[in-house]
Structure formats: C-alpha cells, structure tokens
C-alpha cells in the first residue's frame, strides 16, 4: 500500500508523512479466503492486522465451544496484537486473545508486532505512557479489589462458621457440667439404696431396670405438647400418692425419657416402700444422664460435621486439581453459609446423583458456589426459596442455582459478569464476585456460566466439562 492509501484508514489519518512511509515499508497486504482462520486464540501474537475489505468474525472459546463476540466489515477495523505497544511481558501482549475467521474473502494490512510495537512507543510516547498507566492501573485495582473481595468473603464465612461452631460447643459444655451433677446424684442415691433394707437380689434387679430405662430413653416417642402435659399430670399425681416429694419436677424428666405410670409402678415394686423415693430419683437421674449424653453426642457430632465441611470447602489438605463429587462441594458451601440463611429461606436440593465425578479445582469451584449462593440470599432479603439443581448431558455437568428474589433488571442483566459492576447498594459489593466466578468457570475450567432473570425467578447456570482438559 502507498502512504496515501494508508492515510485513508481512520486509525492512521493523523500520522505524518514519515510515519506513513514507515507503515508502507513494513506493512504487507494479505488476503484470506472465506472460511479461513486468520489467527487463532492462544497462538503467539506476531502480527497487527487492519481490515481493508471483506467481513471478519471475532470469536472466543467458551465452554469448549467457539462463541462469536463480534462481526465487522468496517474498513480500518483492527485486531491481533493490539497490545504490542506494551513494554512489559504480559499474556495479553504475547498471545492472541481471540480467534478471527474470514466470513467473506478479506484483504488486510499486516504489520509485524515486533516492529510495530516499538514504532508506536517512539511515535506517541505520552499516549503510550497514558495507555500503560491505564492498563496497569486497572490490573492493580482489580488485583487489590479482588483480594479485598476474597478477604471480605473469608471474614463473612469465618464469622458464620464461628457462630455455627459456638452453639453446639456451648451446648456440649453445658451438658457436660449438668452430667457431672447428675452422676454425682446417682452415686448418692445408689449408696442410699445399698444401705437400705434390701434383699440381695433387689439391687441387681434395679440395675436391670436402669438398663431398661436407658433403652426406653432411646425409643421414647415424640409427644405433642398436649400429650406430654397429660402424661406429666398423671405421673405427678402417682408420685404424690406414693409420698415422693417434688413430683412436679420429676414428672417432665421421666415422661421425656419414655417412662409412664405402668412401667414405673412395676419398677419400684421391686423395692421396699422405704426405698421407693430413692429408687425413683435414681431412675430420674438415669434418664437425665442418658439425655445429657445424647445431647453431648449430638453437639460434638455437629462440631465434627462443621469442621469436616470447612475442610471440604477449603480443600487445604488436598491437591489443587482433583476429581470430586460436585454435590459434596455444594453441601459444604451451604454449611459454610448456614449462618446467613435465617429462618425465612428454604433450600431445595434437586441433585442428579448419577452425575459423574468432576475433574477440577475444587477450592476455586467452592468460591463460585459461594458467590452465586451469597448473591441469591442477598436478592431474597431473608425470605424465599433457594434451589440447587444438578444434571449432565453430552459430557458436561450443569449446576443451576436459582432463587425467588427480586431479580436482575433487564437493562443490566448482560453486564453482571463485568468487573466492578454491581447491582448492590454502595458499600455492599465490589462488583468482582461474578467476574471472579466467570474467570474460574470459563478461563480455568473451560466451562460456561450464564444467567436468566425475571422477578421471582433468577437462575445462574454453570456448565463444566466432565473430561479433564
């Protein structure tokens, strides 16, 4: 091309004669037939292209498939090594960021990036400094805000986990203290029973009754408040008739343990009348002791479950890349966010258990589920239904996270994955949660993430390949 022809391209219209001559000397006009791949995403960025004639399509690989980003026939449009002017070695400078395909026969001006980049730096030093400042400034800002986003999420999760751990831990401590008192009381009552006028065969019989009482505690039926009240009244009257003081205090304990008047009458019938009260209180201690042991077991099991979920969520003791059950990841995330649900949010799990194991970076996928579920909870504002659904087809896993919240306005739904864009009020969101999720799903796992939203029904769909890349 001649310098005058190059001047006709809007990109170069303000260059002087010397600069245009340089472009004419170093530029080469290339042609590509329709359907030809001009350049491929990920290949070394060796050339800067300017469209002269024809139509090209720009594509990005998403979810293992090429998706068209834009299509143009505008003369002067440019693509390829568009960041050749950068002096530092960064990925966006070294490789093509997208694939370009000739839709029709095309003619292009091709400039070698290794020569064009330094030329631009020498021609426009101030402009290049401004562009570099903008580029690196955005990179640094995104890194800092991304780190802040992670720290805020970690702090929120830590606070929730601490709260969840505190409840069962405190319950176990209280139950242990009460258990110590009940065991001491049982020893005291046992000494009273042993010092009474008991037949030698009576004490073993009471021990057997104690074992029966323990079994009845384990099988105690769930009673309605009315049923429990009626049985307590009946048992309290029986205790009073047998001269046992404090029957109204003992009755709720015995009823909760599944002991009724009929069984208790049989139990104390093996003891002398003088030992009836001691035997009843001994059995009451037995019931309370067993209930406290069950409470401690439930509390410690809950603590163990939470710790296990935290380990599953963080993946700290596992390899970064592994083959995992996606349902374990989702359940661990739900546990970690449990403190945010409150009483007004219902969780529906529609898991397809036939889904194959997923190869991927489990800890980072947990961050995706965290961002999506946290956004769903914010949208529902404490009341609604959160649905987690899984399925698979054609070698891809689908995870769908849906909520019944207010929805995303139609005019901004296409922007939710943009960095720093947020629909939350100022101070409540950085706008990087979904951008980070997009990068993890698309860039790192070669999957895809999309959203459909209307008031009362917002659905984020995440596709992940079931074959290791």
């Amino acid at each position: 091309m001649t310098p005058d022809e190059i001047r006709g391209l809007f990109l170069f219209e303000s260059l002087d004669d010397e600069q245009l001559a340089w472009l004419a000397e170093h530029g080469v006009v290339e042609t590509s037939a329709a359907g030809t791949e001009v350049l491929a995403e990920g290949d070394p960025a060796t050339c800067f292209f300017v469209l002269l004639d024809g139509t090209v399509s720009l594509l990005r690989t998403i979810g293992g498939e090429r998706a068209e980003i834009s299509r143009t026939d505008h003369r002067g449009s440019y693509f390829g090594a568009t960041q050749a002017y950068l002096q530092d070695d960064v990925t966006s400078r070294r490789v093509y960021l997208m694939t370009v395909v000739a839709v029709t026969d095309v003619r292009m001006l091709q400039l070698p990036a290794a020569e064009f980049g330094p030329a631009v730096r020498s021609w426009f030093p101030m402009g290049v400094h401004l562009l570099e400042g903008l580029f690196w400034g955005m990179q640094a800002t995104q890194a800092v805000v991304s780190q802040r986003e992670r720290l805020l999420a970690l702090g929120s999760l830590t606070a929730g986990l601490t709260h969840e751990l505190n409840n069962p831990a405190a319950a176990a401590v209280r139950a242990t203290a009460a258990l110590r008192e009940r065991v001491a009381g049982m020893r005291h009552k046992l000494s009273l029973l042993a010092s009474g006028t008991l037949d030698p065969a009576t004490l073993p019989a009471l021990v057997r009754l104690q074992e029966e009482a323990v079994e009845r505690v384990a099988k105690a039926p769930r009673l309605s408040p009315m049923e429990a009240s009626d049985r307590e009244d009946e048992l309290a009257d029986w205790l009073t008739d047998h001269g046992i003081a404090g029957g109204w205090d003992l009755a709720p304990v015995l009823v909760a343990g599944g002991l009724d008047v009929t069984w208790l009458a049989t139990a104390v019938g093996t003891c002398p009348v003088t030992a009836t009260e001691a035997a009843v209180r001994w059995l009451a201690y037995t019931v309370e002791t067993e209930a406290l042991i069950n409470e401690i077991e439930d509390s410690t099991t809950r603590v163990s479950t939470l710790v296990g979920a935290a380990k599953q969520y963080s993946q700290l003791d596992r390899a970064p890349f592994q083959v995992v059950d996606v349902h374990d990841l989702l359940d661990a995330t739900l546990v970690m966010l449990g403190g945010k649900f409150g009483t007004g949010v219902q969780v529906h799990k529609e898991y397809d258990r036939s889904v194959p194991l997923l190869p991927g970076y489990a800890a980072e996928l947990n961050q995706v589920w965290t961002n999506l579920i946290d956004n769903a909870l914010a949208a529902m504002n404490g009341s609604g239904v959160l649905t987690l659904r899984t399925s698979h087809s054609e070698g891809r896993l689908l995870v769908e996270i849906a909520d019944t919240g207010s929805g995303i306005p139609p005019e901004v739904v296409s922007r939710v994955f943009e960095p720093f864009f947020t629909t939350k009020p100022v101070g409540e969101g950085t706008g990087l949660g979904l951008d980070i999720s997009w990068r993890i799903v698309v860039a790192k796992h070669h999957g895809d993430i999309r959203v459909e939203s209307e008031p009362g029904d917002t659905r984020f769909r995440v596709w992940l390949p079931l074959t290791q890349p």
Side-chain angles (χ1 to χ4, degrees), residues 83 85-86 90 92-93 130-140:
Q83 293 183 337
Y85 64 86
L86 290 174
V90 293
S92 59
R93 177 178 179 269
L130 291 173
L131 286 172
E132 283 190 326
L134 177 63
F135 177 83
W136 294 115
M138 289 190 66
Q139 292 270 326

Side-chain angles (χ1 to χ4, degrees), residues 313 333 363-374 401 433-434 436-438 440-441 445 449 462:
Y313 180 85
T333 304
E364 296 191 27
L365 288 174
N366 280 338
Q367 188 175 4
V368 174
W369 315 139
T370 299
N371 291 335
L372 297 182
I373 293 173
D374 190 51
I401 297 177
L434 291 179
I436 291 170
S437 299
W438 190 91
I440 292 172
V441 171
H445 289 83
I449 180 171
V462 178

Side-chain angles (χ1 to χ4, degrees), residues 27 35 148 214 330 396 439:
R148 178 64 175 170
V214 169
L330 292 169
R396 295 199 302 171
R439 292 174 184 273

